[in-house]
Amino acid sequence: ENTTFTDMTTHWSKAYVSPLTEKGIISGYGDKTFKADNTLKRIEFIVLALKALESEQVITLDTSISTGDYWGMPYMTKAHDLKLIDSDLTDAKAFEANITREEMASIIIKAYEVMGADTTLSDNLTAKTQSMIGDLMNVSLAYKSEVTKAYALNFIAGYGDGSFNPLGSATRGEASVVISKLLDDTLRTPVVEDKPIEADASWMDWVQNQSDEYKENNLVYEHLNSTFEDGVFTIMDGNSGYGDLVVSDDYTPNLTAR
């Protein structure tokens, strides 16, 4: 357990590190410390992601295969096979460099997709999420899509000042959070798409674009059988006590009692 690490008693990442150490995905140091605030190398995060996928029986790892002198070569090869990293990244020295937060975000989204997840975001959710990232302009173009998805799906968050610090080096504690969230969806609280104003022209489009499960659980029958035409939103079979919702130019509905 985390309590075996002498430097983790009060660290903010303690609850995330513990499950990973119990599964043998990450370990501490010989002096019984974890050093959660230390940076980690690109290859070290790749190893964590692959071990996490293996723990879910999504992939198999065979590190006994000799693929060169570099110890991390089997992991590099597997990461390339799974398309977790760019195919042009082959230099062993590059894998010994610190991993940035934006690249960590990219790898975790691709690992999530390897698990069979659909990471597609709507245009509205993409826009909302990107508006929440204060330093989005500093995110490398190659990682912008994955950073947006990782933020929207709450794999990784920003800092108190609204920044994401995409080019900053990720820490062992931050990596532990991201990997833990890959293995346990309940640890994540995704960004929620804003619901259009009811009776706005976009309301019916929004309703029809929701999943069948969402419609069944959250929308009553009259919402699904309504029309919007010439500024009038009409509930076809409503029992809510209202008839037409007359929409003004600023889309503020005036409710006319039935």
Side-chain angles (χ1 to χ4, degrees):
E1 296 182 354
N2 264 4
T3 51
T4 62
F5 298 128
T6 58
D7 59 343
M8 290 297 289
T9 304
T10 60
H11 198 275
W12 62 268
S13 67
K14 177 180 178 180
Y16 297 95
V17 171
S18 183
L20 300 184
T21 57
E22 291 171 357
K23 293 181 179 181
I25 293 174
I26 197 169
S27 58
Y29 295 89
D31 61 356
K32 295 185 178 181
T33 62
F34 184 78
K35 297 180 171 60
D37 294 323
N38 280 16
T39 57
L40 75 164
K41 300 173 182 178
R42 177 180 280 122
I43 188 62
E44 290 174 330
F45 185 73
I46 289 172
V47 169
L48 294 180
L50 292 175
K51 283 186 174 182
L53 291 175
E54 184 181 41
S55 74
E56 295 292 294
Q57 300 182 334
V58 175
I59 65 168
T60 56
L61 278 173
D62 186 357
T63 57
S64 65
I65 300 175
S66 177
T67 54
D69 296 331
Y70 179 50
W71 72 268
M73 193 63 72
Y75 300 100
M76 289 170 53
T77 301
K78 192 67 174 181
H80 280 135
D81 290 344
L82 296 173
K83 295 181 171 55
L84 299 184
I85 55 176
D86 193 278
S87 59
D88 294 333
L89 191 61
T90 57
D91 184 2
K93 291 182 180 179
F95 284 83
E96 289 295 306
N98 287 344
I99 189 168
T100 61
R101 283 170 51 82
E102 64 177 11
E103 186 177 7
M104 180 170 70
S106 175
I107 291 174
I108 207 64
I109 286 298
K110 292 175 181 178
Y112 194 42
E113 292 170 345
V114 169
M115 294 176 69
D118 181 3
T119 62
T120 304
L121 303 181
S122 68
D123 290 344
N124 288 341
L125 186 54
T126 296
K128 178 179 179 179
T129 301
Q130 291 183 346
S131 72
M132 298 167 68
I133 303 174
D135 52 354
L136 182 67
M137 72 292 293
N138 295 332
V139 176
S140 302
L141 183 60
Y143 294 126
K144 187 175 181 180
S145 176
E146 283 79 19
V147 166
T148 301
K149 292 178 179 180
Y151 197 102
L153 296 173
N154 192 224
F155 279 109
I156 187 168
Y159 296 98
D161 62 357
S163 67
F164 182 78
N165 192 21
L167 301 179
S169 296
T171 66
R172 283 168 53 83
E174 291 172 338
S176 297
V177 172
V178 168
I179 296 295
S180 289
K181 289 183 174 183
L182 176 67
L183 298 176
D184 185 355
D185 284 343
T186 66
L187 297 176
R188 296 186 293 107
T189 306
V191 176
V192 178
E193 183 172 359
D194 290 332
K195 175 178 154 182
I197 299 173
E198 190 165 337
D200 187 315
S202 64
W203 165 254
M204 289 307 299
D205 289 338
W206 180 84
V207 168
Q208 296 305 321
N209 286 331
Q210 301 312 300
S211 67
D212 290 339
E213 180 181 6
Y214 183 92
K215 290 177 183 179
E216 181 178 351
N217 294 332
N218 299 282
L219 297 176
V220 293
Y221 184 72
E222 61 253 29
H223 287 155
L224 301 178
N225 292 274
S226 304
T227 60
F228 183 91
E229 186 176 357
D230 296 329
V232 177
F233 180 81
T234 305
I235 296 176
M236 304 298 291
D237 289 292
N239 296 309
S240 60
Y242 297 102
D244 294 349
L245 301 182
V246 182
V247 183
S248 59
D249 291 340
D250 60 0
Y251 296 119
T252 301
N254 295 314
L255 278 64
T256 304
R258 185 184 295 275

